[in-house]
Amino acid sequence: YPELDAPLGEVLLTPTRIYVKTILELIKQYEIKGIAHITGGGFLENIPRIFPENIGAKIDIDSFTIPPVFRLLWEKSAMTKEQIFNTFNMGIGMVLCVSNQISQQVLNSAQELGEKAYIIGHTVKGQGIKL
């Protein structure tokens, strides 16, 4: 697949990113209200676990770059948006929940630590994740 930088098998076997050093540094500097590792269960199952009852999130899927391998899987599988975001991390391996007042500072710090970081959404009243 020309859109991938390597053979599909190699791309699919790319090791999981480890975020420990980044997270430890950020929690020293900022009040992090919640952390969700986006693994099996994707966005829809993992993010709600960090919120209290009656709090959910609205995720803007256009706020970050979806890696080509996930776009390819989405296209070839004919999965719905909800199915693909519930199955894969879509390039977002870790989500931090912080107050709006410090979100840009946390973003800048994460980027300075070498992470590709984005503000991908905000909390809302209700439950679950809205894409």
Side-chain angles (χ1 to χ4, degrees):
Y1 297 94
E3 59 268 42
L4 303 179
D5 294 335
L8 179 60
E10 286 181 28
V11 174
L12 292 173
L13 293 174
T14 301
T16 299
R17 287 255 308 109
I18 305 299
Y19 299 96
V20 173
K21 290 181 183 178
T22 299
I23 298 300
L24 289 174
E25 189 58 40
L26 292 175
I27 62 176
K28 286 181 194 174
Q29 298 178 46
Y30 303 103
E31 179 186 355
I32 307 296
K33 296 181 177 194
I35 301 173
H37 189 199
I38 309 304
T39 59
F43 286 62
L44 304 182
E45 292 179 28
N46 291 303
I47 297 173
R49 293 180 183 142
I50 65 175
F51 297 135
E53 192 173 327
N54 297 319
I55 298 293
K58 170 73 173 106
I59 303 296
D60 177 4
I61 65 171
D62 294 321
S63 64
F64 57 94
T65 303
I66 297 173
V69 67
F70 295 116
R71 290 206 173 274
L72 179 68
L73 289 169
W74 195 351
E75 175 188 311
K76 298 293 182 187
S77 70
M79 294 172 86
T80 66
K81 177 173 55 175
E82 288 73 21
Q83 289 171 325
I84 197 91
F85 277 83
N86 194 52
T87 304
F88 300 105
N89 72 21
M90 305 305 282
I92 301 295
M94 187 71 67
V95 171
L96 303 180
C97 184
V98 301
S99 70
N100 190 46
Q101 291 81 4
I102 65 167
S103 60
Q104 191 62 51
Q105 293 169 300
V106 174
L107 174 76
N108 293 343
S109 294
Q111 290 172 338
E112 288 170 7
L113 291 166
E115 300 295 343
K116 289 182 183 178
Y118 313 90
I119 296 174
I120 65 168
H122 59 275
T123 56
V124 295
K125 290 182 181 179
Q127 294 180 335
I129 302 299
K130 294 170 183 57
L131 302 171

